[in-house]
């Protein structure tokens, strides 16, 4: 009788063979070129889980995402296809999934175009935050054409595209100043800082990031709803960058009322309710 180890080995071999058979059985067609623009890539190929039905993929760009892409400095390429340095700061996000996924769209675009190391920082290592980010990135990555990625694998918290060797990881921003200043570590081609208002030491983390992100080819996106205290680093950087004196090349602001999903037509049944004096 075969041992349990031998049985598991045999089962793995069978599963590998079946995967190979399915892969070979897939219909082949003309190659799909990687879009020349981030806008087309994000609009046509990036699918994110529906906010309520998590299994349902949602494609397309919102007006706010289109505005950001039109004015961004991150995720850009020159005429030779080489990456261009960019640093954007966003405040007053109307809807988190709009801007966060816009940043992830740019990250995935970078990952299919060349070999890059990408990092997202979040305020806490909980399954509702970092775990959810990993799940969403894996959801979108697995729906990209396989000829672009060569297949997607996840080992621990690291997601890798086999074809380009690009990796993406999500880490916490640090509970102390020393940890925050060492979070980024080695070279990071794309750094996405999300919900920065909740970071305890954002300045220390950003200081380390400036040393790790290449100054000619890297991208840094810092996005958050505005913090309560105006002395917070994110708010002060937004103001300074808006005047051309901050650490970011461009500053963006969208109030919540600009979110098209927050607008009610005058003839909408709920319009009279929210406009009444009793509301």
């Amino acid at each position: 009788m075969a041992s349990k180890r031998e049985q598991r080995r045999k089962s793995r071999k069978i599963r590998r063979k079946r995967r190979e058979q399915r892969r070979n059985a897939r219909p082949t067609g003309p190659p799909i070129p990687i879009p020349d623009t981030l806008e087309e890539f994000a609009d046509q190929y990036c699918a994110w889980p529906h906010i309520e039905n998590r299994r349902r993929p949602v494609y397309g760009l919102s007006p706010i995402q289109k505005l950001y892409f039109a004015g961004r400095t991150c995720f850009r390429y020159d005429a030779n296809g080489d990456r261009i340095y960019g640093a954007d700061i966003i405040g007053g996000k109307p809807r988190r999934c709009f801007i966060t996924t816009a940043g992830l769209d740019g990250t995935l675009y970078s990952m299919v175009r060349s070999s890059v190391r990408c990092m997202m920082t979040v305020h806490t290592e909980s399954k509702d935050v970092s775990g959810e980010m990993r799940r969403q990135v894996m959801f979108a990555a697995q729906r990209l054409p396989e000829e672009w990625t060569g297949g997607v694998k996840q080992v621990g918290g690291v997601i890798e595209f086999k074809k380009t060797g690009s990796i993406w990881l999500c880490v916490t921003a640090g509970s102390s100043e020393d940890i925050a200043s060492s979070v980024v570590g080695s070279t990071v081609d794309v750094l996405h800082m999300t919900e920065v208002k909740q970071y305890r030491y954002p300045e220390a983390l950003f200081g380390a990031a400036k040393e790790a992100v290449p100054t000619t080819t890297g991208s840094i996106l810092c996005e958050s709803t505005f913090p309560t205290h105006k002395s917070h680093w994110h708010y002060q950087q937004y103001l300074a960058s808006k005047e051309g004196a901050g650490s970011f090349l461009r500053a963006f602001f969208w109030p919540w009322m600009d979110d098209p999903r927050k607008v009610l037509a005058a003839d909408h049944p709920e319009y009279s309710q929210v406009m009444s004096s009793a509301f």
Side-chain angles (χ1 to χ4, degrees):
M1 181 179 292
S3 66
K4 290 184 177 180
R5 179 177 295 179
E6 291 172 339
Q7 289 175 345
R8 288 195 296 268
R9 187 182 298 115
K10 184 177 180 180
S11 295
R12 287 195 296 269
K13 185 176 180 180
I14 292 172
R15 288 197 296 271
R16 284 197 297 269
K17 184 177 181 180
R18 287 176 177 172
R19 284 198 297 268
E20 186 66 25
Q21 289 173 341
R22 288 195 298 269
R23 190 177 297 114
N24 293 336
R26 291 174 183 169
T28 58
I32 304 172
I34 298 174
D36 292 329
T37 66
L38 170 57
E39 289 83 349
E40 181 184 352
F41 173 85
D43 186 54
Q44 300 295 322
Y45 295 99
C46 287
W48 300 99
H50 189 273
I51 197 168
E52 295 175 352
N53 180 358
R54 310 302 284 171
R55 295 184 179 181
R56 173 187 160 196
V58 178
Y59 291 88
L61 294 175
S62 72
I64 292 169
Q65 289 171 319
K66 292 177 181 178
L67 282 172
Y68 168 62
F69 286 156
R72 74 189 190 280
T73 67
C74 292
F75 317 118
R76 293 179 302 141
Y77 295 83
D78 63 20
N80 296 320
D82 297 322
R83 298 193 308 274
I84 302 173
Y85 177 78
D88 298 330
I89 186 167
I90 300 173
K93 301 186 307 178
R95 187 179 178 90
R96 183 173 67 177
C97 63
F98 281 166
I99 299 304
T100 302
T101 54
L104 292 173
D105 287 338
T107 298
L108 292 175
Y109 190 52
S110 302
M111 292 175 71
V112 301
R113 289 194 56 140
S114 60
S115 180
V116 291
R117 183 172 185 261
C118 307
M119 178 180 290
M120 175 181 240
T121 56
V122 295
H123 69 280
T124 179
E125 179 62 40
S126 73
K127 64 179 182 181
D128 294 332
V129 180
S130 57
E132 177 63 16
M133 285 294 100
R134 295 183 187 107
R135 191 188 73 81
Q136 291 196 25
V137 171
M138 196 65 178
F139 182 97
Q142 289 178 320
R143 285 163 173 77
L144 294 173
E146 190 171 339
E147 61 192 87
W148 297 353
T149 65
V152 182
K153 69 176 182 179
Q154 181 174 1
V155 180
V158 179
I159 294 173
E160 180 181 350
F161 287 4
K162 295 180 182 179
K163 182 174 182 178
T164 60
S166 295
I167 63 171
W168 177 93
L169 65 157
C170 183
V171 300
T172 57
S175 57
S176 70
E177 189 167 2
D178 288 340
I179 293 175
S181 62
S182 62
V183 160
V184 179
S186 58
T187 300
V188 174
D189 298 295
V190 177
L191 177 64
H192 182 175
M193 303 166 62
T194 185
E195 281 306 303
V196 182
K197 75 170 186 177
Q198 300 189 57
Y199 293 8
R200 295 188 64 183
Y201 301 97
E203 188 171 3
L205 190 153
F206 183 78
K210 289 289 287 184
E211 300 296 322
V213 177
T215 56
T216 57
T217 60
S219 287
I220 304 176
L221 174 61
C222 177
E223 44 95 354
S224 180
T225 50
F226 277 133
T228 303
H229 300 291
K230 293 184 178 181
S231 60
H232 191 280
W233 177 85
H234 179 263
Y235 184 75
Q236 291 299 317
Q237 276 295 324
Y238 167 80
L239 293 179
S241 298
K242 185 179 179 181
E243 299 299 323
S247 300
F248 296 85
L249 300 178
R250 196 155 296 166
F252 299 84
F253 170 70
W254 290 287
W256 65 268
M257 69 283 294
D258 284 352
D259 183 344
R261 301 189 188 191
K262 304 287 195 244
V263 177
L264 291 175
D267 58 352
H268 192 281
E270 296 179 359
Y271 180 84
S272 59
Q273 297 178 12
V274 299
M275 295 302 290
S276 69
S277 58
F279 182 75

